[in-house]
Amino acid sequence: MPDAQQAVLVLDFGSQVTQLIARRVREAGVYCEIVPFNKGAEAIARMNPAGIILSGGPASVMGHAAPSAPAEAFEIGVPVLGICYGEQTMVAQLGGRVENAENREFGRAFIDVVEPCALFEGVWKVGERHQVWMSHGDRVIDLPKGFRVVARTGDAPFAAIANDDKRFYAVQFHPEVVHTPDGAKLIANFLHRVVGLAGDWTMSAFRARAVDAIRKQVGKGRVICGLSGGVDSSVAAVLLHEAIGDQLTCVFVDTGLLRLNEADEVVKLFGGSYNIPLVHKDASELFLGKLAGVSDPERKRKIIGGTFIDVFEAEAKKVGGADFLAQGTLYPDVIESVSVLGGPSSMIKSHHNVGGLPERMNMALVEPLRELFKDEVRELGRELGLPETMVGRHPFPGPGLAIRVPGEITRDKLDILRRADAVYLDEIRRSGLYDKIWQAFAVLLPVRTVGVMGDERSYDYALALRAVTSTDGMTADYYPFDHDFLGRVANRIVNEVRGVNRVVYDITSKPPGTIEWE
């Protein structure tokens, strides 16, 4: 974390899009942390933040035991920005009134700017109307002393309010979402004009600080890192190697569920180009044996997670004397492991497993990326000199291809899927679309169809293709390929991959949840 008074605290009241607030703050070059509202007093004492943002949330301030911000948030003399529920609890806690709205607002709305405000400087002018995104069933009806209205909608007369003396500001809409086109600029105004932060939180500065922190934590100890070849573990491994050199050993477990030629690429890059001490364990026979005959997706995940831990632990013992286990934990993992009602999760996060860290391993954790979002990890990878083919690669699930083969897994099915997936991604790259898509993959459906190829009847698998666009992985929409592209991909797959005679494209949009198939 940066020096005191250079960070912003985001108090989370349970909104689905709280992470987006943090992303907008980071994009403005300011470091921030998200903490559940009921841990707010502790966080304020620990961080001594330069400013505080109160998130939205699903509760009503008039409900029983409604969540509220700690009193310290309004007493320590720093600027505060309330968003949606954050506005309502600010008003209620400071002496104003909130009521159930007769007309609720969900979705696009238009706001009228009625007075100048530090949040609006250089963005909105008095008399203008702008699009915003609303999501609320309550509304403010009476302001606390010292506040004034600066913007309103037809159904929200207090859509934006300000107390300039105390530097308290609040909005009923959500500036953090893309559906409020100027929202990021409003948040940046709060950070730079109101809080007075310079916006100099850079990846270069993070890199230097992270290297120093790793050296201080590890000392002369030895670190073992589970390397999957994905972006997170790869960036973590290179950063660790820069910090502690040969005190790091990476263990790469080939589960037999990887993409085409992936194992060879990982070994060549990390064991060769980077010369990082690397243990390569081919455990594909073990994994496929344990998965034989298993169709239930949750059982698959548990089998893969448990088997990975067993193999990793065995290889770690062979290395001998490791004091620390390194993980590519990211900030969204940290946030999601601490709910507004619960405590931290004990789940180990890696691209391979879904199980817990066994106490018998008796190693402390090193998590050098735990302050970063996914896009920031990619930026750090570029800062460290990782090739773009690695830094920009699409996310790959922990259970690998196992969840892209619904039903029973066999080696033949995996081979078919690997070849088809490689053709699909090759066409995406050739068309210059790879970096425009968040994630693309093929799924081998548990359906066989009758077809005619040449003069012969075929009875082969149907294959589904998936491609989604996203900025944060929280929501996603299908990528609108043109018919020529889809026809070209389908033709190549059917001609080049034996075992597939039909290709379909999945155009399902994705609400919050998983992008994966199973």
Side-chain angles (χ1 to χ4, degrees):
M1 167 179 169
D3 295 335
Q5 292 299 310
Q6 292 299 311
V8 167
L9 174 64
V10 180
L11 294 182
D12 181 18
F13 290 92
S15 169
Q16 292 185 72
V17 292
T18 298
Q19 286 191 31
L20 293 183
I21 300 173
R23 289 178 60 84
R24 301 297 170 256
V25 174
R26 298 281 184 89
E27 288 167 1
V30 173
Y31 178 77
C32 69
E33 291 186 16
I34 297 175
V35 174
F37 74 90
N38 52 0
K39 303 291 184 182
E42 302 167 19
I44 289 170
R46 171 178 59 84
M47 287 180 62
N48 190 25
I52 296 172
I53 299 178
L54 311 178
S55 86
S60 168
V61 297
M62 295 168 290
H64 176 68
S68 60
E72 292 89 337
F74 305 114
E75 296 172 353
I76 63 173
V78 303
V80 181
L81 173 63
I83 295 174
C84 195
Y85 183 88
E87 178 192 50
Q88 294 163 12
T89 194
M90 177 189 287
V91 167
Q93 289 182 241
L94 296 180
R97 289 194 300 149
V98 179
E99 69 172 6
N100 292 123
E102 183 174 339
N103 294 320
R104 301 181 300 170
E105 286 185 300
F106 293 95
R108 184 180 292 103
F110 292 90
I111 193 168
D112 295 308
V113 180
V114 297
E115 288 194 19
C117 169
L119 292 181
F120 303 160
E121 284 187 35
V123 184
W124 290 350
K125 295 179 180 179
V126 174
E128 293 181 342
R129 172 170 286 190
H130 293 277
Q131 178 183 313
V132 297
W133 192 259
M134 291 285 194
S135 182
H136 65 100
D138 295 343
R139 68 173 188 170
V140 175
I141 59 170
D142 191 20
L143 292 180
K145 182 179 179 180
F147 280 82
R148 62 191 177 94
V149 177
V150 294
R152 60 169 60 101
T153 70
D155 293 314
F158 301 92
I161 60 176
N163 182 325
D164 303 288
D165 291 337
K166 290 185 177 294
R167 297 184 295 169
F168 292 167
Y169 299 86
V171 295
Q172 185 60 75
F173 58 91
H174 285 271
E176 69 273 29
V177 302
V178 295
H179 306 293
T180 299
D182 296 319
K185 296 177 182 177
L186 302 182
I187 292 174
N189 269 350
F190 174 73
L191 300 169
H192 302 318
R193 296 178 183 269
V194 178
V195 183
L197 295 175
D200 56 1
W201 190 74
T202 66
M203 197 49 62
S204 177
F206 173 85
R207 174 184 180 179
R209 194 175 71 249
V211 166
D212 184 60
I214 292 167
R215 288 171 178 165
K216 286 180 179 177
Q217 180 185 4
V218 172
K220 295 182 179 180
R222 295 194 58 79
V223 179
I224 190 166
C225 175
L227 182 64
S228 71
V231 177
D232 305 341
S233 67
S234 297
V235 173
V238 174
L239 181 64
L240 284 159
H241 190 247
E242 178 175 292
I244 58 174
D246 288 348
Q247 291 172 246
L248 169 71
T249 300
C250 290
V251 175
F252 171 55
V253 178
D254 184 350
T255 63
L257 303 168
L258 304 177
R259 289 167 286 202
L260 189 67
N261 300 324
E262 189 164 24
D264 292 340
E265 292 170 1
V266 170
V267 172
K268 182 178 179 181
L269 179 63
F270 292 94
S273 300
Y274 281 94
N275 200 29
I276 296 175
L278 177 67
V279 175
H280 175 205
K281 175 63 177 179
D282 184 352
S284 56
E285 292 293 340
L286 176 64
F287 278 86
L288 295 182
K290 287 181 176 289
L291 290 167
V294 178
S295 297
D296 180 73
E298 288 308 310
R299 280 195 63 204
K300 290 181 190 176
R301 291 175 185 269
K302 290 178 181 178
I303 289 170
I304 294 165
T307 304
F308 177 84
I309 289 174
D310 291 342
V311 174
F312 184 87
E313 184 181 9
E315 296 304 314
K317 286 180 179 178
K318 293 178 185 177
V319 172
D323 308 289
F324 297 90
L325 173 66
Q327 293 181 188
T329 306
L330 304 190
Y331 196 48
D333 304 312
V334 176
I335 297 167
E336 290 164 7
S337 71
V338 184
S339 72
V340 294
L341 299 175
S345 167
S346 61
M347 301 298 283
I348 181 174
K349 189 270 182 186
S350 91
H351 279 290
H352 283 294
N353 85 83
V354 289
L357 175 63
E359 292 183 5
R360 63 181 181 271
M361 290 183 73
N362 194 31
M363 288 186 282
L365 287 177
V366 180
E367 298 173 311
L369 308 181
R370 63 182 286 114
E371 295 179 3
L372 303 182
F373 287 97
K374 187 78 171 187
D375 57 328
E376 294 170 329
V377 173
R378 296 188 195 279
E379 185 181 347
L380 177 59
R382 295 182 181 101
E383 173 76 21
L384 290 165
L386 274 162
E388 189 62 32
T389 52
M390 174 62 69
V391 173
R393 73 187 314 178
H394 292 173
F396 192 59
L401 298 182
I403 59 172
R404 296 178 182 174
V405 180
E408 183 181 359
I409 295 171
T410 66
R411 186 177 291 278
D412 285 344
K413 288 182 180 179
L414 290 170
D415 287 342
I416 292 171
L417 178 59
R418 256 189 282 270
R419 293 195 300 272
D421 192 67
V423 169
Y424 180 35
L425 294 180
D426 179 58
E427 282 295 330
I428 288 175
R429 288 190 175 94
R430 289 186 182 199
S431 300
L433 300 175
Y434 190 84
D435 293 335
K436 297 179 181 180
I437 295 170
W438 171 267
Q439 187 184 48
F441 57 86
V443 177
L444 192 69
L445 300 179
V447 175
R448 300 186 77 175
T449 64
V450 175
V452 176
M453 300 180 69
D455 297 322
E456 296 181 345
R457 184 184 297 271
S458 67
Y459 184 58
D460 291 321
Y461 288 103
L463 186 88
L465 303 178
R466 180 98 161 107
V468 295
T469 58
S470 179
T471 57
D472 46 45
M474 296 174 63
T475 60
D477 201 359
Y478 69 91
Y479 186 83
F481 289 123
D482 60 45
H483 288 291
D484 288 343
F485 174 87
L486 291 174
R488 190 164 62 248
V489 171
N491 189 59
R492 276 195 63 187
I493 289 174
V494 170
N495 284 334
E496 297 176 25
V497 182
R498 291 187 180 275
V500 176
N501 68 2
R502 192 174 304 275
V503 177
V504 298
Y505 184 55
D506 174 12
I507 60 170
T508 307
S509 296
K510 169 193 167 291
T514 179
I515 295 177
E516 286 304 327
W517 190 271
E518 285 194 341

